[in-house]
């Protein structure tokens, strides 16, 4: 059974940085991709960043150049480094894991608030 535990959210001033982490547990899983979606009140959920097991990455245009996704296979964890944060980045961030069989597991979510 695949489980995701994510952390790293919080309150930060504009221009600050946060690092989200998402740790996957479970045996005999075939991972196709991991990443984060975010959901802000009154807005559509959007894909923030994703990374495949072959290290192919994808970013939304709004975060490109500021965010970086990476993974640590030894720790079975994916990270989202968020720099130069803007108020528009305020949202609940949800980690996801997608298997090669197109099954998706979601993390519990972590709140990122960017405000002065």
């Amino acid at each position: 059974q695949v489980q995701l535990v994510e952390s790293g959210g919080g309150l930060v001033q504009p221009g600050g940085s946060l690092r989200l982490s998402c740790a996957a547990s479970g045996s005999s899983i075939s991972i196709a991709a991991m990443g984060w979606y975010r959901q802000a009140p009154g807005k559509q959920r959007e894909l923030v960043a994703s990374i495949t097991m072959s290290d192919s990455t994808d970013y939304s245009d709004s975060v490109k150049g500021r965010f970086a996704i990476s993974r640590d296979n030894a720790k079975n964890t994916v990270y989202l480094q968020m720099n130069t944060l803007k108020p528009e980045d305020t949202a609940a961030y949800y980690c996801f894991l997608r298997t090669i069989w197109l099954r998706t597991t979601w993390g519990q979510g972590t709140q990122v608030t960017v405000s002065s």
Side-chain angles (χ1 to χ4, degrees), residues 12-20 38 43 46-49 57-70 79-91 93 112-115:
V12 65
Q13 290 185 296
S17 298
L18 287 172
R19 188 180 72 165
L20 306 184
R38 67 185 180 188
K43 296 183 177 181
E46 67 169 333
L47 177 66
V48 179
T57 59
D58 190 36
Y59 300 92
S60 71
D61 289 339
S62 63
V63 308
K64 196 170 298 182
R66 299 187 297 120
F67 291 10
I69 190 168
S70 62
Y79 303 95
L80 183 66
Q81 180 66 46
M82 306 185 295
N83 297 323
T84 320
L85 283 161
K86 303 175 179 180
E88 309 92 89
D89 297 317
T90 297
Y93 285 69
V112 172
T113 301
V114 185
S115 176

Side-chain angles (χ1 to χ4, degrees), residues 26-39:
S27 300
S28 301
I29 59 174
S30 298
I31 301 173
M34 294 182 67
W36 276 268
Y37 279 81
R38 67 185 180 188
Q39 178 77 64

